[in-house]
């Protein structure tokens, strides 16, 4: 954002001393300013004979208004309000600056500064990224595999490219088949609209080709001159078109090969693992469709594998003479089928792995001699390997009560080595090569924690189950430091997400040690809306069952209190994006259960956002939340939408974060919510909003910069606990 779009907001400071004994931060005699009061301009919003009045509707801005050289009156009013909230946040949190700095230094101090990733092999080269001390961004490198004395090639210099940008993110990096050309994408605004560049790796020079307004993904055909990419609708940011570009031509000359006209779908392009086919996928929440063309003849006509059908999901890869397809056809938890390349529609699909009621098939990877399945059993990820000839079929063993494992960089086809990552709440992330024949494991790298006092044996992990109000057992993963006495005075942070079938995994985070070492218990509620316990877990937490997500979280909180882990005076809740919606809902439904809540980039204005099809993500999420143009969904959404249900009552301490350039949850949702909460709440508890004026949904782009907000969030909770060091 250009500097002349913002001027400093000045306001008179007054001496402040709060009299509430419940607020520990009010015991500090500090200079503070009054909380901002947003102006009210009532706007009637009518649908289905119902009228909502939104006093803060005026905060919405278009991209054109954001990017204007000179702000108009409305834009300036919005900027003034956001800056006022930031100024207020800085003032009331000023006394925590010392612990914020300590936390930040502590967190980044645990991270190895001159780190490097584990190399992976692809088409004759070994690829890896590495960081140098003092650098926020990575160097992207490779070495020739055929030359033992091969010198490192820096194919992309992140620190150099990021120079001068307040935000910088590399999207994808793709090498041409002949290994001489690099296509890479960059976002310097944080709106996830990437520009694609091309680099000659032999000369080091950039080509003149430049592709604007893309999703960031690039796919090479096998002729080393043709690439495919997805472009975005300039208003909704929906990935709606796939183009073919020939190197050396202008973007205006690119050929449109696919136009996704259905506004409830987005489209994308990728290459099969075999490198023989380029595929275009179209997807919405509950339906997919794929088409393909030979990577050797990219000008041929595209063929559809299986035409789209309502509620039919499938994903595709290629092996020998068949396409292998993961699908929910007659299989709620998905099954794996295969079909001849010459006959791809569903009547030709034959089971490879049948459907199972108690096992969720999440993904698969094909090798020359092996098939690997990533499944979910009893709420935990598993890895299953099997030989095509049927000689061996086994699961890799894991021992922690709560853990996560992920497949990683398995690009080689002709190998018996499977690479995966393993982590748990107590175990740092480890990259492991597993011999699928001998079952031998080789730990290539374990995440280093640069803290002489750290040992995984110093922490305890548990897996417990809360009973929801309808009798369902909801898993909770818990970690704390050995020796911590769990009682009604123990601080506890409960986290979850609970949407889109995205599971909240029990992974290790070194920054979390700053909480654990100060006596916090950390817990993850595996609530419905995720997919931890199978596909039904997701289906029972969406659309007209969405409230199960919120009540599950509350039930988990009450369970932890009942079992003596903590008490409402010392329990905190945290979630981001759709997890921020969760935070907003439980704040309205059970405000007395929490001492503090952190809502990051929260999706809280559900009805208005889902009514506006110009907003990014709206149209292809109707199957997640419902379409409020249907009265049944409108009424249900309105009954839980955090913004629409703010009331005149007491709320706990609240920290809200957002980014001005957020393309997923527009900044005005948390801003409006903050203003309405500030207007109606009847308590004296803290309510602060942190709006990062330079970033979007994912926060700061630098390797370390993002932890400044982590330190702020932690300081917010620690201050409420009276923890000063």
């Amino acid at each position: 954002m250009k500097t002349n779009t913002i001027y400093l907001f000045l306001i008179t400071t007054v001496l402040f001393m709060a009299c509430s004994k419940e607020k520990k931060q009010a015991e500090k005699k500090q200079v503070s300013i009054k909380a901002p009061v947003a102006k009210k301009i009532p706007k009637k919003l009518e649908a289905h004979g119902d009228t909502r009045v939104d006093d803060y509707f005026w905060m919405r801005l278009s991209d054109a208004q954001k990017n204007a050289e000179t702000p108009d009156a409305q834009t300036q009013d919005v900027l003034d309000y956001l800056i006022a909230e930031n100024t207020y946040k800085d003032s009331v949190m000023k006394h925590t600056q010392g612990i914020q700095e300590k936390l930040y230094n502590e967190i980044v101090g645990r991270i190895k500064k001159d780190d490097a990733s584990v190399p992976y092999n692809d088409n004759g080269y070994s690829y890896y990224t590495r960081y140098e001390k003092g650098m926020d961004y990575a160097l992207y490198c490779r070495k020739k595999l055929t030359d033992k004395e091969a010198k490192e090639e820096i194919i992309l210099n992140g620190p150099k490219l990021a120079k001068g940008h307040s935000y910088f993110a590399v999207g994808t990096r793709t090498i041409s088949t002949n290994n001489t050309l690099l296509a890479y994408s960059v976002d310097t605004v944080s709106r996830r609209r990437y520009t694609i560049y091309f680099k000659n790796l032999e000369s080091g020079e950039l080509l003149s080709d430049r592709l604007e307004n893309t999703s960031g993904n690039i796919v090479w055909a096998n002729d080393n001159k043709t690439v495919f990419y997805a472009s975005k609708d300039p208003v909704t940011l929906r990935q709606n078109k796939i183009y073919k570009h020939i190197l050396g031509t202008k973007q205006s000359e690119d050929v449109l090969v696919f136009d996704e006209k259905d506004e409830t779908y987005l489209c994308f392009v990728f290459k099969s693992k075999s490198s023989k086919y380029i595929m275009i996928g179209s997807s919405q929440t509950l339906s997919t469709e794929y088409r393909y063309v030979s990577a050797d003849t990219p000008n041929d006509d595209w063929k559809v594998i299986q035409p789209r059908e309502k509620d039919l999901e499938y994903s595709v890869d290629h092996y020998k003479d068949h396409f292998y397809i993961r699908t929910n056809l007659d299989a709620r938890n998905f099954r794996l089928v295969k079909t001849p390349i010459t006959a791809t529609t569903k009547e030709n699909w034959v089971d490879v792995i049948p459907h199972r009621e108690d096992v969720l098939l999440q993904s698969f990877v094909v090798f020359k001699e092996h098939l690997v399945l990533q499944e979910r059993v009893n709420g935990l990820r598993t890895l299953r390997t099997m030989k095509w000839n049927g000689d061996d079929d086994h699961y890799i063993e894991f021992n922690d009560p709560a853990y996560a494992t992920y497949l990683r960089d398995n690009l080689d086809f002709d190998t018996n080595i499977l690479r995966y990552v393993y982590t748990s709440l107590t175990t740092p992330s480890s990259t492991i090569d597993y011999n699928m024949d001998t079952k031998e494991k080789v730990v290539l790298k374990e995440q280093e924690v640069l803290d002489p006092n750290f040992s995984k044996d110093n922490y305890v992990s548990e897996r417990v189950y809360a009973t929801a109000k309808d009798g369902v057992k909801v898993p909770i993963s818990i970690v704390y430091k050995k020796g911590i006495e769990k009682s009604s005075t123990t601080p506890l942070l409960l986290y979850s997400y609970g949407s889109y079938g995205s599971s909240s995994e029990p992974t290790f985070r070194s920054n979390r040690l700053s909480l654990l070492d100060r006596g916090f218990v950390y817990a993850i509620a595996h609530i419905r809306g995720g997919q931890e316990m199978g596909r039904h877990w997701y289906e029972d937490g969406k659309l007209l069952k969405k409230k199960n997500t919120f009540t599950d979280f509350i039930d988990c909180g009450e369970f932890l209190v009942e079992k003596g882990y903590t008490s409402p005076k010392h329990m905190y809740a945290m979630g981001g994006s759709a997890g921020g919606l969760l935070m907003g809902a439980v704040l309205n439904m059970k405000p007395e259960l929490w001492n503090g809540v952190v809502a990051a980039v929260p999706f809280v204005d559900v009805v208005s956002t889902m009514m506006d099809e110009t907003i990014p993500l709206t149209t292809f999420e109707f199957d997640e939340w419902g379409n409020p143009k249907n009265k049944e969904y409108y009424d249900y959404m309105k009954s839980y939408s955090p913004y629409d249900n703010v009331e005149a009552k007491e709320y706990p301490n609240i920290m809200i974060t957002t980014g001005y350039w957020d393309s997923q949850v527009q900044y005005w949702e948390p801003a409006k919510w903050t203003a309405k909460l500030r207007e109606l709440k009847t308590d004296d508890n803290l309510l602060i909003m942190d709006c990062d004026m330079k970033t979007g949904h994912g926060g700061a782009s630098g390797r370390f910069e993002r932890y400044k907000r982590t330190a702020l969030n932690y300081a917010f909770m620690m201050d409420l606990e009276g923890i000063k060091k």
Side-chain angles (χ1 to χ4, degrees), residues 456-510:
K456 64 184 75 175
D457 296 329
N458 292 341
Y459 303 90
V460 178
S461 174
E462 297 180 7
R463 183 88 158 183
V464 298
Y465 292 83
T467 302
K469 288 181 172 54
D470 59 359
V472 170
K473 298 292 185 181
V474 182
I476 308 173
S477 298
I478 301 172
V479 64
Y480 52 89
K481 193 171 184 178
K482 275 184 182 176
I484 295 297
E485 184 178 347
K486 292 167 286 185
S487 71
S488 61
T489 61
T490 304
L492 183 147
L493 175 58
L494 181 62
Y495 169 85
S496 197
Y497 184 74
S499 291
Y500 303 106
S502 178
S503 301
S504 298
E505 305 291 2
T507 59
F508 181 86
R509 293 287 184 271
S510 64

Side-chain angles (χ1 to χ4, degrees), residues 55-83:
D55 291 326
Y56 305 107
F57 189 88
W58 60 270
M59 292 187 187
R60 297 161 57 100
L61 289 184
S62 67
D63 281 352
Q65 287 173 303
K66 279 186 182 181
N67 289 290
E69 289 285 344
T70 303
D72 58 22
Q74 181 194 359
T75 307
Q76 195 61 65
D77 284 348
V78 171
L79 293 171
D80 287 347
Y81 174 68
L82 297 177
I83 294 169

Side-chain angles (χ1 to χ4, degrees), residues 607-669:
V607 179
S608 291
T609 291
M610 294 305 296
M611 290 286 284
D612 187 349
E613 296 182 9
T614 68
I615 292 177
L617 302 185
T618 294
T619 55
F620 51 86
E621 293 200 350
F622 288 148
D623 284 327
E624 177 72 24
W625 311 104
N627 187 341
K629 292 181 180 177
N630 176 316
K631 188 177 186 304
E632 183 180 24
Y633 286 111
Y634 174 89
D635 291 340
Y636 189 74
M637 281 183 194
K638 185 183 175 185
S639 72
Y640 70 75
S641 173
Y643 182 69
D644 292 292
N645 287 280
V646 175
E647 298 176 314
K649 63 183 179 184
E650 291 191 356
Y651 286 89
N653 301 283
I654 304 171
M655 163 80 80
I656 298 168
T657 66
T658 185
Y660 184 66
W661 296 97
D662 196 330
S663 61
Q664 290 184 255
V665 179
Q666 310 286 319
Y667 75 86
W668 59 72
E669 291 199 41

Side-chain angles (χ1 to χ4, degrees), residues 556-618:
C556 286
E558 291 179 334
F559 170 85
L560 292 169
V561 170
E562 177 189 340
K563 295 301 180 180
Y565 285 88
T566 189
S567 67
K569 288 185 178 180
H570 297 279
M571 184 155 62
Y572 301 86
M574 185 175 187
S577 195
L581 163 63
L582 169 65
M583 295 299 103
V586 302
L587 273 168
N588 286 328
M589 296 168 68
K590 199 76 173 179
E592 68 275 15
L593 189 57
W594 329 97
N595 189 41
V597 171
V598 178
V601 290
F603 171 42
V604 286
D605 193 11
V606 182
V607 179
S608 291
T609 291
M610 294 305 296
M611 290 286 284
D612 187 349
E613 296 182 9
T614 68
I615 292 177
L617 302 185
T618 294

Side-chain angles (χ1 to χ4, degrees), residues 32 96 135 168 192 356 435 520 614 641 722:
S32 180
T96 70
M135 297 296 180
F168 175 82
R192 300 188 180 179
R356 293 151 294 169
N435 188 309
F520 270 77
T614 68
S641 173

